[in-house]
Amino acid sequence: ADNKARGFNMEMSGRDWGTNVEQYLLSLKDVSAQYRQSVEITELHYRLFHFWKHERLIRTEEQEKFIDAFMQSPLLQLDPATCSFFPRQTLLTIRMIYCFLKNDTQQAFEWCQQVLDLWTANPAIQKDQPIRYIAAYTNYFSNCLRIKRYDLIDKYLQNADTGFMAGNETAKAAWFVLVSNFTLIVLEEQGDADKLLEALPPILTGLKQHEQRLKQIDVVMLRYNALM
């Protein structure tokens, strides 16, 4: 860092001082503009998420007009593919929520698939933000349950690359909860009593191992699913 600073200072003191300063300031303005855009997209997400949590579905013509107008926000017209990772994820999630409000479960699933694909294509961010990555899996599996695509849950559980959790015991505990809960739910939905009974002992053993790193609500829900 010191070498970079000295190099920058040498550039600043050279004959191209004015050009260098201008380029540096322009880069700062660009970073600032990107950050401001990211914050504004996040704010839109929170507003729509709040509406979704309270209403679940669009039920009146007035609500439909409000949400359709909301989705016309200039920032929501951006192509997600042109944005950096987190604004892109948020834009995709907003589209997913909008489809849920419209009761279009299949299209909501398609947007959710794109969110998970984005995460799986960025291993460095997975390792830096493992809990958010696991949350993306949770959302995806929940969507799979809505459209009864139990095969996709099995596929991802069998093939997921868990290297992102290396050395992170909290992430390992969160992944254990995800795998255990959805394994039990899928087997229950499929009515496979034999596999369900087979799955219980290792899950209960794992719960004892990870319990100290889990939120109490996660422990309660996992025990509830195990007793269903």
Side-chain angles (χ1 to χ4, degrees):
D2 289 342
N3 289 335
K4 288 183 180 179
R6 283 194 291 270
F8 178 71
N9 288 332
M10 290 178 66
E11 288 185 41
M12 292 280 282
S13 62
R15 57 182 159 182
D16 294 328
W17 183 88
T19 300
N20 291 329
V21 169
E22 183 176 354
Q23 291 177 345
Y24 177 65
L25 292 176
L26 284 173
S27 69
L28 286 180
K29 288 179 180 179
D30 183 55
V31 170
S32 177
Q34 290 183 40
Y35 179 75
R36 182 169 59 252
Q37 182 188 80
S38 178
V39 170
E40 290 174 353
I41 291 172
T42 300
E43 181 183 1
L44 290 170
H45 170 254
Y46 284 153
R47 287 171 56 194
L48 188 63
F49 185 79
H50 181 269
F51 182 92
W52 178 41
K53 282 298 181 183
H54 282 77
E55 302 295 337
R56 306 310 299 178
L57 292 171
I58 293 173
R59 305 180 188 281
T60 68
E61 184 177 342
E62 183 178 285
Q63 287 179 336
E64 185 164 23
K65 287 180 180 179
F66 170 77
I67 292 300
D68 286 344
F70 176 90
M71 293 299 293
Q72 292 305 309
S73 166
L75 285 175
L76 299 185
Q77 309 316 305
L78 291 172
D79 179 358
T82 65
C83 300
S84 58
F85 182 90
F86 287 110
R88 182 176 179 180
Q89 178 199 233
T90 305
L91 286 171
L92 293 171
T93 302
I94 287 172
R95 285 159 171 75
M96 180 191 73
I97 294 173
Y98 175 70
C99 291
F100 278 136
L101 288 168
K102 291 280 192 174
N103 201 27
D104 188 346
T105 307
Q106 183 60 46
Q107 186 57 56
F109 171 79
E110 299 299 331
W111 290 119
C112 192
Q113 178 74 67
Q114 289 192 43
V115 171
L116 186 60
D117 290 346
L118 176 64
W119 274 99
T120 55
N122 288 274
I125 301 178
Q126 296 171 19
K127 192 167 182 61
D128 186 60
Q129 300 284 336
I131 300 302
R132 293 181 72 171
Y133 182 36
I134 293 170
Y137 265 109
T138 301
N139 289 336
Y140 180 75
F141 289 166
S142 296
N143 275 278
C144 288
L145 291 178
R146 287 187 178 95
I147 60 173
K148 300 187 184 302
R149 288 300 306 271
Y150 310 128
D151 60 307
L152 291 175
I153 298 177
D154 286 335
K155 171 188 169 184
Y156 278 96
L157 289 180
Q158 293 295 325
N159 300 312
D161 181 355
T162 57
F164 71 95
M165 297 183 296
N168 189 326
E169 296 304 318
T170 299
K172 289 178 183 178
W175 182 258
F176 164 76
V177 170
L178 170 82
V179 172
S180 299
N181 275 326
F182 281 98
T183 296
L184 293 173
I185 291 170
V186 168
L187 291 175
E188 175 70 21
E189 290 290 331
Q190 293 174 333
D192 196 330
D194 291 337
K195 286 188 177 180
L196 192 58
L197 290 172
E198 185 180 323
L200 284 175
I203 287 175
L204 294 175
T205 299
L207 182 56
K208 291 180 182 178
Q209 176 186 345
H210 295 291
E211 187 168 357
Q212 295 302 314
R213 295 186 176 87
L214 297 174
K215 296 177 182 178
Q216 189 60 32
I217 184 62
D218 290 329
V219 174
V220 171
M221 288 304 299
L222 183 51
R223 284 178 174 162
Y224 172 79
N225 286 331
L227 293 171
M228 284 179 62

